[in-house]
Amino acid sequence: MKHILIGGLEVSCLGLGAMSMSGFYDIGAGSDEESTRTIHRALELGVTHIDTAEIYGPYINEELVGRAIKGRRDQVVIATKFGFVSHAGGGPGVIDSSPANIRIAVEGSLKRLGTDYIDLYYQHRVDRNTPIEDTVGTLAQLIKEGKIKHIGLSEAGVDTIRRAHAVHPITALQTEYSLWTRDPEAELLPLLRELGIGFVPYSPLGHGFLTGQIKSPEDLADNDWRKTNPRFIGENFQRNLRIVEEVKAVADQLGATTAQIALAWLLAQGNDIAPIPGTRRVARVEENIASESIELSSEQLKRLNNLTPASGERHSEAGMAAIDR
Ligand SMILES: NC(=O)c1ccc[n+]([C@@H]2O[C@H](COP(=O)([O-])OP(=O)(O)OC[C@H]3O[C@@H](n4cnc5c(N)ncnc54)[C@H](OP(=O)(O)O)[C@@H]3O)[C@@H](O)[C@H]2O)c1
């Protein structure tokens, strides 16, 4: 698989998001064994970039990734995130990027991942109670100590990125970006390119919606996190299905799957963009990785660029409130 540089860090152009291996989404059977096989298959097919976070599970996703990469550490760029668990008392779900919290978080992540360094350590959400300069200052110290190699931000806005980058070079921004979430194109991508920061699109398959495999809200279990996402609810769901039909039309022209077109479109957006589609199934990781070889014509790219915008915000009200803009 092709390798690219994101802010100076070399990664495979497609990575693997591990979040859905430990909850959040719930369609069909999943197991740690199948998730582990999925990670191994991804590595075999040339993926080097695996994305997890302290909050996934919480904790058990990092443990799963740690077990899966045991003996293969050198093959992997491990990306994980802190700041969505407040160890001082608030616990999981509480935003906290204070220096003291980062110090506790990093030791836990290193232990669970079974490694003595993290390649890319992201702040998961901007903490309005801690100046970003303090957070990045602490991360810069962790680089000096050899505990992390690179610093990332997730869902940070332009001002925060500039302030952070002034303290220490930021390697990557991780933010939602896909055929139905085009917001980063307006301000974020130009800024990242100006500063030489790479971009890691999360939820590149629209949490699975853009694959065409979720056909009705009833396909989602009651405890599926997507049941709280406005795009998966009521009339929005039906309207958004039309977007998927358009993507499928392009897929049919190329004998590809809808998921593959969603990924091929992202890969066509630049050599500084490294999407991390998530799956816990071997067959799907194979399918997703094969999108690397799909060439979209200028006509097809134009059609995809002009899709009807998605109906509904990309996160719930609480989720949107946590996003730095
Ligand atoms: N920084 C952040 O705040 C943030 C937020 C969300 C996600 N992320 C990261 O981004 C990664 C990917 O995002 P995501 O998991 O939200 O969304 P995604 O990659 O857009 O979609 C994942 C969903 O699509 C399904 N899927 C994957 N490949 C498929 C295929 N070929 N055909 C049909 N269905 C397919 C998966 O189901 P199965 O697993 O059952 O195959 C899963 O339900 C996560 O793993 C996580 O590492 C980061």
Side-chain angles (χ1 to χ4, degrees), residues 17-20 25 27 51-52 56 81 124-125 154-155 174 202-208 211 213 226 259 276-281 284 287-288:
M19 183 181 83
S20 73
Y25 305 150
I27 300 180
D51 188 83
T52 177
Y56 300 161
K81 316 181 195 80
H124 209 148
R125 286 292 182 274
S154 174
E155 291 286 5
Q174 183 174 134
Y202 79 69
S203 304
L205 300 168
H207 313 288
T211 69
Q213 297 300 311
R226 290 169 290 198
I276 44 167
T279 182
R280 52 195 171 145
R281 307 178 204 220
R284 286 181 173 174
E287 175 187 336
N288 295 347

